[in-house]
Amino acid sequence: MKQLSGILLLALLLACNNSKNDKSATENPTQSDQNRTTAENSNPPPASYSSGNNFTISIGGNETGYNGSILVDKDEKKLQAGAPYRGMITTSSGPDNSGMILRFVFDTKPGSYPVTGMSYNRGTGDAAEQYGGLLGGAEKIYDTKVTLTECKDMGENGTGGHKWSISGTVESLTIPAMGLMLMDESKKHPREIKLDKISFTGLGFDDNWEEMMEKAMDMMKKKE
């Protein structure tokens, strides 16, 4: 419950910062602001990401789209030099109850970075298949790389950090089945699954998530 309250306070904190910025802009409009407002009103806003739009998985030539999101914090274990951040991408549930978790360490610039955990699931009931750890598996450096093709600094987030947007790909990722699944021989569970390609676009995050949560928790404690 406290974690949930912390998240709500974090949202409130962000809203307050955004409100201050919006108020300042409203009280001191410029001609360029007025021109921009006119242009925005005359054109429809860009489409936001929807399910199946920003994360795709290709298996055996068949591509499936998902809605993906990323949680990023600092990698305290320092698994890879030059990769200070730890990211965990999770997807929505797709066809046949399929979905994925992908973990990797990286820096906020294009390049190749190591995968540190992965899992993939599909099917339900007796036909359910689980590959890799439920939360991406134990953190370690794998040979497979995540190639970040784009890292955009979206500007300050109002809480001392910056917002970022990243896009990238993973080529030919093979994930072994969980040992528990292989114990039941009657289900004839495949021993592994090969993902031909993974791609993601425009996943957003804040680079000071821990500090934001600490500030939110402090606000919560002061209200108790």
Side-chain angles (χ1 to χ4, degrees):
M1 181 63 71
K2 286 188 176 182
Q3 289 181 339
L4 178 59
S5 299
I7 293 174
L8 293 175
L9 283 171
L10 175 58
L12 177 61
L13 176 64
L14 289 173
C16 290
N17 278 288
N18 290 337
S19 177
K20 291 177 181 178
N21 292 336
D22 291 344
K23 183 177 180 181
S24 176
T26 302
E27 292 176 347
N28 301 284
T30 63
Q31 186 62 44
S32 60
D33 291 331
Q34 294 172 354
N35 292 340
R36 183 167 59 252
T37 300
T38 301
E40 289 174 348
N41 290 335
S42 63
N43 295 299
S48 59
Y49 286 123
S50 59
S51 181
N53 210 32
N54 66 352
F55 191 99
T56 60
I57 300 174
S58 179
I59 301 176
N62 296 317
E63 188 175 276
T64 303
Y66 302 85
N67 184 34
S69 60
I70 187 170
L71 178 63
V72 173
D73 60 7
K74 300 290 177 54
D75 179 23
E76 300 296 339
K77 295 182 179 179
K78 302 185 185 302
L79 294 174
Q80 176 75 35
Y85 296 100
R86 180 178 63 173
M88 182 172 74
I89 300 175
T90 59
T91 73
S92 59
S93 182
D96 194 27
N97 198 40
S98 62
M100 182 170 192
I101 294 175
L102 179 68
R103 296 166 69 170
F104 59 101
V105 290
F106 68 103
D107 197 2
T108 50
K109 56 185 178 183
S112 293
Y113 302 96
V115 168
T116 59
M118 63 278 198
S119 69
Y120 177 83
N121 63 270
R122 65 182 177 187
T124 57
D126 290 339
E129 299 177 5
Q130 177 66 49
Y131 303 90
L134 291 174
L135 289 176
E139 285 184 296
K140 65 178 184 179
I141 298 295
Y142 289 87
D143 291 335
T144 303
K145 303 290 185 181
V146 172
T147 300
L148 294 185
T149 56
E150 183 177 63
C151 296
K152 285 185 179 180
D153 186 345
M154 309 300 287
E156 296 182 1
N157 59 11
T159 60
H162 281 236
K163 286 185 175 292
W164 293 84
S165 172
I166 60 174
S167 303
T169 61
V170 182
E171 302 289 343
S172 188
L173 177 61
T174 298
I175 310 177
M178 286 189 68
L180 184 62
M181 299 292 101
L182 297 176
M183 290 175 63
D184 189 349
E185 297 181 359
S186 65
K187 293 182 179 180
K188 297 182 179 179
H189 196 294
R191 301 194 66 84
E192 61 184 26
I193 188 170
K194 181 179 180 181
L195 312 184
D196 301 322
K197 185 175 182 178
I198 298 168
S199 63
F200 53 89
T201 305
L203 298 183
F205 67 92
D206 295 274
D207 61 12
N208 64 331
W209 172 252
E210 298 99 325
E211 291 86 349
M212 292 168 66
M213 286 303 300
E214 287 177 5
K215 186 176 292 187
M217 293 301 292
D218 288 341
M219 290 176 63
M220 183 184 69
K221 290 178 180 178
K222 289 179 181 178
K223 292 180 177 292
E224 291 179 347

